Amino acid sequence: MILDNGTLQVQTIVGGELVNGIPQVGTTQWSDPIPCHIVANTYNQKGTFKDSTFTQCSFTVWFDYGVHIFKAKRVRLINNKGYDLGEFEVQSIEHADLVGRTKITV
């Protein structure tokens, strides 16, 4: 049994089509929060560059997505304490049919 310990939101781009042959600027929107189970693969502050540091992190996320095929390219993760873990590019998507959940790596 996998317990949900956060939420994920999917980024979509609205607009951005051609109008009279002129490209229009699209705007980004976030979906409603989807309950998920977040597992940190790496989460450290060992990244350095001149005069500063940065946080290196990657996560594995499990969630119910029903019968839909998950195709998102960018997601936002928030843990169960309300802390925004950040916005991430989706690296891989796997559908676990036996447990009825989808696994993504960000």
Side-chain angles (χ1 to χ4, degrees):
M1 182 162 125
I2 299 174
L3 300 175
D4 294 332
N5 62 357
T7 60
L8 106 102
Q9 292 176 301
V10 176
Q11 182 184 55
T12 56
I13 298 176
V14 179
E17 64 269 351
L18 292 175
V19 176
N20 296 328
I22 301 170
Q24 303 298 310
V25 177
T27 59
T28 59
Q29 280 186 331
W30 292 101
S31 70
D32 292 331
I34 301 168
C36 65
H37 180 73
I38 303 168
V39 178
N41 297 332
T42 59
Y43 194 86
N44 64 51
Q45 296 178 343
K46 295 180 182 177
T48 61
F49 59 94
K50 186 176 180 178
D51 300 329
S52 190
T53 63
F54 60 91
T55 302
Q56 298 174 343
C57 56
S58 70
F59 297 95
T60 298
V61 181
W62 290 89
F63 59 95
D64 290 323
Y65 206 71
V67 296
H68 301 22
I69 300 297
F70 186 79
K71 298 180 186 177
K73 297 197 183 319
R74 191 157 185 86
V75 296
R76 175 190 294 164
L77 297 177
I78 300 171
N79 70 8
N80 57 351
K81 302 211 181 343
Y83 180 72
D84 188 354
L85 299 172
E87 298 176 17
F88 303 94
E89 297 277 332
V90 175
Q91 302 298 317
S92 68
I93 302 171
E94 298 176 44
H95 299 284
D97 295 330
L98 292 177
V99 293
R101 291 177 73 96
T102 298
K103 173 185 165 185
I104 63 172
T105 303
V106 298

